[in-house]
Amino acid sequence: MERSPRKIDAVRNTCRIIDVLRERGNAGITEISEELDFSKSAVHGHLATLQDEGLVVKEDHSYSLSLRFLDIAEQVKNGIADHEIVKDEVNNLAEETGEVVHFATEEDGRVVYLSKASGDDAVETASKIGKRMPMHSTSLGKAILAELPQARREEIIERYGLPEQTEKTITDAERLHEELAETSERGYSIDDEENILGVRCIGMAVSVPEADVLGALSISGPSRRMTDERMETELSEQIAQAANVIEVNSRYS
């Protein structure tokens, strides 16, 4: 039987301190100590080490995350696809459609937003860069799931289940598999108010031959504008063109 690797509590505690700084923006030793129930000396030691590594900055008696995280994030995003190309295509698609456009990838069985742009008619949602979302209830997630091997799909469903996000969310595994088969046949996925009531989305996977799926693009808007006809005759063509540009550039980058 495979043994679980040994976990390092000190590293876990450092991550919790980073999370506090991420959520608060900045905080002092006493605030962090009280929130996490760590001793002040332990918090100070972690922060001093993070500061020495350039991961936090100190101003007076307050600490905040440094811009080094921005450099790390850019490297991670460019490891998936050329982020400048992705950003350009997301912006162009938002301008063309007037709606909200996202690019996301799958990590650890979740959809993670990497890029977002809003057109002139966009209805804003709570999505933001770095946010993790369920795969089964989003057009992004369903587009990616439709490209994954069956075993990987089952693994994700087994781990996270199919929790209800709205009354329209698909919560039955058999029905989800049927939906993914329809997605593959159609060439694009649909979120039919399954994640947010009143909002429909079209999604399309972005992939290159002999490689894992890079991610997916989506266009989101109010259900009255995001009709089946518009998706089929207009939006599917626009999103396919954007996906192709990213795929071609990723193939030769």
Side-chain angles (χ1 to χ4, degrees):
M1 184 173 64
E2 185 178 350
R3 297 176 60 185
S4 297
R6 183 169 64 93
K7 309 299 192 302
I8 309 299
D9 287 337
V11 176
R12 179 180 286 112
N13 291 343
T14 298
C15 291
R16 293 181 67 188
I17 289 171
I18 289 173
D19 279 341
V20 170
L21 294 177
R22 177 178 60 83
E23 292 168 2
R24 289 184 173 230
N26 60 74
I29 291 174
T30 300
E31 294 173 82
I32 298 171
S33 172
E34 291 175 350
E35 179 160 339
L36 298 178
D37 196 25
F38 293 169
S39 69
K40 291 182 181 180
S41 61
V43 172
H44 182 266
H46 284 284
L47 289 171
T49 304
L50 288 167
Q51 184 180 6
D52 191 54
E53 293 297 320
L55 292 169
V56 303
V57 292
K58 180 182 179 184
E59 186 173 348
D60 296 329
H61 299 292
S62 183
Y63 294 83
S64 60
L65 299 180
S66 80
L67 292 176
R68 187 175 174 193
F69 282 97
L70 182 61
D71 180 47
I72 294 170
E74 288 299 312
Q75 289 189 38
V76 172
K77 287 189 289 188
N78 281 321
I80 297 166
D82 187 317
H83 186 60
E84 288 305 312
I85 297 296
V86 169
K87 187 166 63 173
D88 286 346
E89 290 308 307
V90 167
N91 287 337
N92 291 340
L93 202 51
E95 183 177 351
E96 289 173 6
T97 63
E99 310 291 359
V100 175
V101 177
H102 295 100
F103 177 83
T105 193
E106 179 264 329
E107 183 179 70
D108 201 28
R110 293 294 201 194
V111 166
V112 185
Y113 293 123
L114 299 184
S115 187
K116 175 184 178 180
S118 299
D120 291 340
D121 300 323
V123 174
E124 285 300 331
T125 64
S127 60
K128 61 181 181 179
I129 306 305
K131 186 172 183 178
R132 295 171 179 269
M133 296 294 291
M135 297 192 72
H136 70 289
S137 61
T138 58
S139 64
L140 291 161
K142 287 196 280 188
I144 294 172
L145 281 173
E147 296 287 315
L148 294 181
Q150 182 70 21
R152 177 59 177 149
R153 291 186 204 170
E154 297 292 350
E155 181 185 349
I156 292 171
I157 295 172
E158 175 77 17
R159 179 174 180 181
Y160 294 106
L162 302 172
E164 182 178 295
Q165 306 298 313
T166 75
E167 61 191 39
K168 295 193 173 185
T169 305
I170 296 173
T171 58
D172 177 74
E174 183 176 349
R175 175 68 189 95
L176 178 62
H177 287 306
E178 292 174 357
E179 174 79 5
L180 296 179
E182 291 173 14
T183 294
S184 296
E185 183 178 349
R186 192 170 48 216
Y188 58 88
S189 61
I190 296 175
D191 161 9
D192 189 12
E193 301 185 61
E194 297 161 59
N195 205 56
I196 303 172
L197 285 175
V199 175
R200 298 185 84 208
C201 315
I202 179 175
M204 185 171 290
V206 178
S207 58
V208 295
E210 301 179 359
D212 293 334
V213 58
L214 300 178
L217 285 164
S218 73
I219 304 170
S220 306
S223 55
R224 61 182 175 80
R225 285 205 303 261
M226 299 292 286
T227 62
D228 289 341
E229 181 181 3
R230 186 186 180 202
M231 288 185 185
E232 182 178 352
T233 61
E234 176 187 339
L235 298 181
S236 62
E237 179 65 26
Q238 291 172 309
I239 200 171
Q241 290 176 357
N244 183 246
V245 171
I246 297 171
E247 289 169 346
V248 169
N249 281 276
S250 297
R251 188 177 298 130
Y252 297 109
S253 62

